[in-house]
Amino acid sequence: MEVEAGQSTEFTLNLAFTKENEGFYQPAWVEITPPNETKALKIEWPWETDTLVDQRSATHPGTFVNPIG
């Protein structure tokens, strides 16, 4: 998929939030690299009070990006 100037697209971030005190991440920002691009867009993490489950060793992580489009 190629997005031309003036066009838009969308995608869904599936996030595994937790309220636990251990085994979590508190991001400060997120980087998103659009398809066919080499430069990432950097945005501040909008969920200040929510933390993500540590899924580094997960075989089926709960945090992922759906296909774009």
Side-chain angles (χ1 to χ4, degrees):
M1 172 180 197
E2 189 166 329
V3 180
E4 301 292 334
Q7 292 182 319
S8 64
T9 189
E10 61 184 57
F11 60 93
T12 303
L13 294 174
N14 295 283
L15 304 171
F17 289 119
T18 183
K19 297 294 182 189
E20 299 297 322
N21 293 325
E22 295 180 17
F24 66 87
Y25 288 104
Q26 179 60 57
W29 46 267
V30 62
E31 288 187 357
I32 300 168
T33 305
N36 301 321
E37 295 291 332
T38 57
K39 185 172 181 177
L41 306 170
K42 186 174 180 177
I43 59 172
E44 289 185 28
W45 186 250
W47 301 282
E48 293 178 14
T49 59
D50 294 317
T51 55
L52 293 175
V53 175
D54 180 355
Q55 300 174 72
R56 287 179 285 187
S57 60
T59 56
H60 300 285
T63 295
F64 58 92
V65 178
N66 281 338
I68 296 174

